[in-house]
Amino acid sequence: GKAPTRKLYLAALRQFFDVLVNRHAMILNPALSVKGERYAVADGEGLTPEISVEQVRTLMQSIQFKTILDYRDAAILGCLRFTGARVGAVASLTYGAFVFDGLEYLLSFVEKGNKQRRIPVNSSLKVLILDYLKAAEGLEWKKESPLFRASHGRTERLSNQAVSGNDIYRMMKRRLKLAKL
């Protein structure tokens, strides 16, 4: 058989002998010391899906800016477009992470492994975020509040909960479908 099949069989043998050792039928597991071969999938499986610049441009132009969710979605897409940050990092942004240092606006991201990254905000992104915050002015904003909030079910109202990475993927999928991309 091929490498993945051999690795599967070796794992099954290890498990079988583990059960025998746990039931005191054997003293040692003879399959424990056997090294399995290394096998890695290199065909791009598991990579984050990418959309083209033209698709992003069309997607941004398709937003109507009628509801607060439109402003929020545009700000999220702008963050993804102009910062190159991961979806999870954008979803975990707080209101306090969007700061003005006296010269320019910055976004403070917390990346994988708790790495801090401060990115200057592009003028287009600044407009998108400030428009979103203006549209959401009835909400209470604290430094620890999520910057991008989830909606209450299918309503047009925002909750106090942060959007998740999966919420952003679903929003992008819905927006791409509406933009007919």
Side-chain angles (χ1 to χ4, degrees):
K2 301 229 183 241
T5 306
R6 289 192 300 267
K7 285 179 68 86
L8 185 70
Y9 290 162
L10 181 58
L13 282 173
R14 282 189 184 130
Q15 183 67 34
F16 172 72
F17 285 118
D18 274 343
V19 169
L20 292 178
V21 169
N22 286 337
R23 293 185 180 180
H24 304 291
M26 297 183 74
I27 296 172
L28 296 173
N29 182 345
L32 199 58
S33 61
V34 178
K35 297 268 187 195
E37 58 188 288
R38 290 179 131 333
Y39 177 75
V41 178
D43 64 353
E45 181 181 319
L47 296 177
T48 304
E50 182 180 341
I51 62 175
S52 70
V53 174
E54 190 57 41
Q55 286 176 317
V56 172
R57 199 170 286 128
T58 306
L59 189 59
M60 293 294 284
Q61 291 170 350
S62 71
I63 297 176
Q64 300 293 317
F65 293 102
K66 292 180 180 176
T67 67
I68 192 167
L69 295 181
D70 293 336
Y71 286 99
R72 183 206 59 190
D73 293 352
I76 290 172
L77 290 170
C79 277
L80 293 170
R81 176 183 179 190
F82 294 116
T83 64
R86 293 175 22 259
V87 170
V90 171
S92 66
L93 281 173
T94 61
Y95 179 71
F98 181 62
V99 294
F100 184 68
D101 70 353
L103 297 173
E104 62 187 350
Y105 281 95
L106 299 168
L107 278 173
S108 297
F109 288 96
V110 179
E111 292 284 346
K112 285 183 176 178
N114 283 334
K115 292 180 184 173
Q116 300 283 333
R117 210 169 57 137
R118 293 184 77 142
I119 299 177
V121 175
N122 173 310
S123 61
S124 299
L125 177 57
K126 177 182 84 170
V127 169
L128 290 171
I129 293 175
L130 291 176
D131 285 349
Y132 160 63
L133 292 174
K134 186 177 178 185
E137 66 186 350
L139 298 173
E140 182 181 340
W141 293 98
K142 296 179 184 173
K143 280 191 172 237
E144 63 275 357
S145 301
L147 183 60
F148 300 117
R149 298 177 179 199
S151 62
H152 282 292
R154 294 185 183 263
T155 66
E156 298 292 326
R157 296 179 315 133
L158 296 180
S159 70
N160 290 328
Q161 302 295 318
V163 294
S164 68
N166 287 336
D167 292 338
I168 293 176
Y169 281 125
R170 281 194 298 274
M171 176 270 297
M172 288 178 63
K173 191 174 179 179
R174 182 175 45 89
R175 293 274 180 191
L176 285 169
K177 189 175 180 181
L178 289 174
K180 295 181 173 95
L181 290 178

